Amino acid sequence: MKILYTISSFKPATTGPANAIYSIAKELKKKHDIYVITTDFGSEKITTGKWIKYEEINVYYLKMLSNKTTLFNAIWGISLTYLKNFFLIKKLIKKINPEIIHINSIFNFLSFISGYLSFKYKIKYIITSHCDFATEQFNIRKFRKKFFLRLPFLKKILKNAFFHVTSEKEKLELIKNINKELNIELKEKNIYKRALPADESSYNYKWIRKKPSSFKTILYLGRISVIKNIEALIEAFASLKKGEFKLIIAGNTNENSKYTLELKNIVKNYNLQKHITFTDKAIYDEEKFTLLKNADVFILPSLVENFGITVLESLAQGTPVIASKGSPWQELEIYNAGYWTENTPEALKLCINNFFKLNIDERKIMSENAVKLAEKYKPQYIIPAYDDMYKTILKENKK
């Protein structure tokens, strides 16, 4: 089977979707011909404009737009780049001639072109929504998204697509909001629910905490984005006893400089500069796993998450997790591997206090349970369901 993935960023970029699709592609290439068309977003010093092998995966990185000095130059540059990339992507897809195209996200140029060409050439395609139609996510830059939804052919693209979601909540919101915005009634049988896998390398750093560290370290690691609700975590942290706790916020602060400034002003207003550290850069590979395994607890306070790969990566290190109910991680409480809570400062503070009240043996049990939960999501257990999904889609006569 020839499978093409289109995604706005791919390894070595460290976004959750990039890591997840990399893990899927890496495993499926053992049985199928796998191709990835992506951009160089988040990937420094990567070769663009030609097919390369990234760890034996066929990847084509499109060049991102360069900064323009004037509004006219920016509009002109964007127009030319989009036009050029449209014909380039068309040429690449025709040459690959995939049996199925797996599109990631909806609200970007690469996804729109991939969907249009899939529809035009009658190639089966599935879209991973990545919570694009979750109410909280959709409301961010809502006007721009509503404009995007008015693009020619987009309604046909979505109407004829299969969809992939990671939770029941995401599925229900996808159905509700696509119907609301475009008057399309999606059929549940055309929506596939599949968990996302962590890369096998996540499991090479297993580490069980023998005793609590003398310094109570709380970690957030991920995108510095409004949807992550990091301000709620800072406000929860501000109500803890100073001097006993340390909060590390790990992520690229250049991604959203306005939001970063808001967060740092909150830190300053609470006089927490000595207690809260921003890495200011994205954290990769071994450095990432070192941060995760040396934290007492990892916190994901997001408004909404389609999955939350960092939760899985943290669990694989034996580090318990406090995740918001905006994420699909209720299993944290089922496995006693952490807490699944509301994303308010008060709820986060309560979970933090409850966690640090645990004794040494209770912390050790929770750490061991974290690893057990992570084991469930190893690629060899998750990827076969994707293989079955693609095969089922190819048999479908969708109308």
Side-chain angles (χ1 to χ4, degrees), residues 4 19 28 37 40 55 80 99 167 175 238 252 259 265 272 290 303 324 326 335 359 391:
L4 169 63
N19 288 337
L28 285 181
I37 298 177
D40 63 349
E55 297 186 14
L80 287 178
E99 291 165 77
S167 70
I175 293 170
N252 180 9
Y259 182 56
N265 282 337
L272 292 170
T290 298
L303 298 176
S324 77
Y335 276 75
N359 61 37
K391 289 174 180 176

Side-chain angles (χ1 to χ4, degrees), residues 194-393:
R194 298 287 188 274
L196 294 175
D199 182 50
E200 191 66 42
S201 65
S202 303
Y203 297 88
N204 294 336
Y205 298 85
K206 286 182 192 174
W207 182 83
I208 304 298
R209 194 179 302 282
K210 301 299 181 185
K211 61 181 179 179
S213 58
S214 58
F215 203 72
K216 299 171 182 176
T217 303
I218 299 167
L219 174 67
Y220 166 80
L221 186 151
R223 291 177 56 218
I224 308 299
S225 167
V226 174
I227 203 70
K228 301 297 184 179
N229 193 33
I230 302 169
E231 64 272 21
L233 174 55
I234 295 173
E235 289 178 21
F237 183 85
S239 63
L240 302 175
K241 189 174 180 180
K242 287 185 180 180
E244 289 188 14
F245 296 88
K246 180 179 182 180
L247 171 61
I248 300 172
I249 299 174
N252 180 9
T253 51
N254 289 324
E255 183 178 349
N256 191 330
S257 55
K258 182 181 178 182
Y259 182 56
T260 297
L261 182 60
E262 291 175 9
L263 295 178
K264 290 188 175 181
N265 282 337
I266 295 171
V267 172
K268 189 175 180 181
N269 290 339
Y270 282 114
N271 194 27
L272 292 170
Q273 297 94 318
K274 292 182 180 179
H275 308 284
I276 298 180
T277 301
F278 288 82
T279 65
D280 288 327
K281 65 175 184 176
I283 304 299
Y284 298 87
D285 303 325
E286 188 168 356
E287 185 181 3
K288 174 175 67 174
F289 294 117
T290 298
L291 265 182
L292 287 167
K293 74 180 181 181
N294 286 320
D296 288 287
V297 63
F298 172 76
I299 300 183
L300 186 70
S302 302
L303 298 176
V304 65
E305 289 279 345
N306 80 312
F307 190 68
I309 286 291
T310 48
V311 170
L312 189 49
E313 292 172 333
S314 179
L315 294 171
Q317 314 315 308
T319 300
V321 174
I322 298 171
S324 77
K325 290 186 177 179
S327 73
W329 279 100
Q330 54 265 53
E331 283 182 303
L332 290 169
E333 297 199 334
I334 296 170
Y335 276 75
N336 185 29
Y339 304 87
W340 192 55
T341 184
E342 301 297 336
N343 51 27
T344 64
E346 296 76 18
L348 294 170
K349 177 193 173 184
L350 180 63
C351 289
I352 293 169
N353 284 331
N354 287 342
F355 174 76
F356 284 107
K357 285 178 184 176
L358 298 176
N359 61 37
I360 293 174
D361 290 336
E362 290 169 328
R363 294 267 295 274
K364 183 174 183 292
I365 289 169
M366 188 172 277
S367 188
E368 291 170 343
N369 290 339
V371 175
K372 289 177 185 176
L373 177 53
E375 290 279 330
K376 178 181 174 182
Y377 291 92
K378 275 192 166 184
Q380 60 263 41
Y381 305 132
I382 298 297
I383 306 301
Y386 282 83
D387 197 9
D388 292 341
M389 178 178 75
Y390 297 139
K391 289 174 180 176
T392 302
I393 289 172

Side-chain angles (χ1 to χ4, degrees), residues 37-79:
I37 298 177
T38 184
T39 77
D40 63 349
F41 177 79
S43 301
E44 297 178 3
K45 298 178 181 178
I46 200 76
T47 302
T48 61
K50 67 177 184 179
W51 287 106
I52 67 169
K53 290 279 188 180
Y54 184 86
E55 297 186 14
E56 300 307 310
I57 300 171
N58 300 301
V59 186
Y60 194 104
Y61 293 89
L62 299 166
K63 183 69 178 173
M64 284 288 288
L65 298 174
S66 58
N67 293 326
K68 303 295 178 181
T69 55
T70 68
L71 179 61
F72 175 79
N73 285 340
I75 294 172
W76 181 248
I78 290 169
S79 300

